[in-house]
Amino acid sequence: MPRFGLGVWKTDNRTSRDSVAAAIKNGYLAIDTARQYGNEQGTGAGIKLGLEQAGLKRSDLFVTTKLYNGEQGDYDQVSKAFENQLKDLGLDYVDLYLMHWPVDKTYIESYHAMEKLYREGKVRAIGVSNFDNDRMEKLLEEAEIIPTVNQMEFNPTNQEHEILAFDQSHDIEMTAWSPLGGGESLTNPVIDALAKKYDRSAAQIILRWEWQRDIITVVKSTHEKRIIQNSQIFDFSLSDEDVQKINELDQGRRGLWYDDFQWHNPNGKVANGIDQWPDTRK
Ligand code: A2P
């Protein structure tokens, strides 16, 4: 799996098409979307366009999408959801299929359905997202296939030490969503000082730090200039001391957890997060 890629949360179909195509054209080899984002059609169109423009094949690209909470359930339910996702993406397989959130009543059954999709060769790998250690432990007791990754919110002010340690001890990679803290970390004075020191942008400093911390990142930008800039992090490195300075910015501050946000359902319904999930916010 490429350890760096583009994410398309909060972008509509047209914008995700354009940013995905721009990313692939500029060398990105991993694209991360989800049913919940409501932009799989645009993402698929961007993949097609980007591959054409870059002269690449489908197999050169690593595509991740996620099972929507409202479509969790038994194999019939999950495989139907997955087939619809493939259709919208215009693909015949995805490289990584993640469970978006651990919905308590259904996540074990849904994960078994995902294992079956993996065995059938419809997905190249399976994993999860937003799993705390208790739920991960329960999943590992039941699972036949260890999730390859746990995609979590990870950025300078939210470093998830306990989850990272637990997952790494089970050979589960952490992928960061919101690696720039939704843009908030970009104005942090410590990051700003490092940006000046290394003559790089704040975003490049943070993304390089994540790279050196061995975290896979999927970073969102809708601007081609920033898409390009964000990928230019492989020709410099932060000193151990400066990595440590960013490590010290952690405040354990999650922007989004099993919280009371409205969860948009691509099938037209709106499900309230609190109805569906236990409240485990810190
Ligand atoms: P935009 O899409 O306008 O570029 P995260 O991935 O942590 O959620 O952060 C994404 C946010 O950070 C988006 O609002 C995005 O805005 C912004 N962003 C991404 N890359 C950069 C960059 N290089 N410089 C400034 N802002 C950026």
Side-chain angles (χ1 to χ4, degrees):
M1 173 178 187
R3 302 186 69 85
F4 176 84
L6 182 87
V8 291
W9 185 32
K10 288 187 183 161
T11 54
D12 60 22
N13 273 304
R14 180 184 286 254
T15 313
S16 41
R17 180 199 62 196
D18 294 346
S19 39
V20 167
I24 298 170
K25 197 176 78 187
N26 288 292
Y28 282 59
L29 293 174
I31 304 294
D32 179 283
T33 185
R35 190 60 166 170
Q36 186 270 336
Y37 304 165
N39 60 20
E40 283 172 313
Q41 287 183 2
T43 300
I47 289 171
K48 191 162 177 280
L49 197 63
L51 290 176
E52 275 165 21
Q53 289 174 340
L56 295 173
K57 303 185 294 296
R58 163 67 184 94
S59 56
D60 295 323
L61 195 68
F62 193 96
V63 180
T64 300
T65 195
K66 311 184 191 84
L67 173 65
Y68 174 63
N69 290 4
E71 294 180 321
Q72 288 196 20
D74 62 14
Y75 175 77
D76 285 349
Q77 167 83 19
V78 171
S79 68
K80 202 168 105 204
F82 175 70
E83 291 300 332
N84 285 333
Q85 292 181 264
L86 275 189
K87 207 162 94 201
D88 282 355
L89 285 162
L91 301 176
D92 49 21
Y93 70 93
V94 296
D95 298 276
L96 178 60
Y97 196 42
L98 300 180
M99 180 180 299
H100 207 148
W101 292 83
V103 179
D104 275 332
K105 278 191 192 144
T106 48
Y107 78 86
I108 298 290
E109 185 182 32
S110 304
Y111 191 79
H112 285 317
M114 291 167 64
E115 290 179 318
K116 196 162 172 207
L117 289 178
Y118 169 78
R119 282 198 207 89
E120 289 169 349
K122 293 185 177 156
V123 299
R124 296 276 160 93
I126 55 174
V128 298
S129 184
N130 301 303
F131 268 59
D132 57 48
N133 288 351
D134 288 348
R135 289 182 177 83
M136 185 67 91
E137 209 163 358
K138 183 151 178 262
L139 183 73
L140 291 175
E141 279 166 19
E142 305 280 338
E144 287 169 31
I145 300 166
I146 294 176
T148 49
V149 307
N150 185 12
Q151 186 177 126
M152 296 289 304
E153 180 177 357
F154 182 96
N155 49 54
T157 52
N158 187 50
Q159 298 183 28
E160 300 292 357
H161 297 288
E162 287 167 23
I163 293 179
L164 183 61
F166 183 85
D167 288 355
Q168 285 180 338
S169 73
H170 290 85
D171 284 337
I172 301 165
E173 296 266 5
M174 185 179 283
T175 299
W177 62 259
S178 264
L180 305 176
E184 213 183 286
S185 300
L186 296 171
T187 52
N188 184 292
V190 172
I191 303 290
D192 188 48
L194 292 173
K196 291 198 173 82
K197 175 175 171 186
Y198 288 88
D199 194 20
R200 295 283 168 157
S201 73
Q204 287 173 319
I205 296 295
I206 297 169
L207 295 167
R208 178 70 204 187
W209 165 73
E210 275 148 11
W211 177 265
Q212 288 183 224
R213 287 283 312 267
D214 251 346
I215 305 286
I216 300 167
T217 54
V218 287
V219 60
K220 178 214 159 186
S221 178
T222 50
H223 297 94
E224 185 161 7
K225 263 194 180 160
R226 290 176 177 170
I227 288 172
I228 296 169
Q229 181 199 101
N230 290 347
S231 68
Q232 292 171 337
I233 56 166
F234 304 108
D235 57 349
F236 77 107
S237 63
L238 301 169
S239 68
D240 291 348
E241 199 185 36
D242 289 335
V243 166
Q244 187 53 32
K245 273 190 197 154
I246 305 180
N247 291 348
E248 284 163 15
L249 297 179
D250 184 37
Q251 297 169 19
R253 219 177 70 203
R254 289 176 178 151
L256 179 65
W257 194 230
Y258 300 98
D259 218 333
D260 54 347
F261 55 91
Q262 294 282 304
W263 193 248
H264 177 254
N265 181 326
N267 301 319
K269 294 178 208 147
V270 171
N272 184 311
I274 269 182
D275 292 337
Q276 272 182 301
W277 307 309
D279 184 5
T280 60
R281 78 193 92 164
K282 277 185 169 176

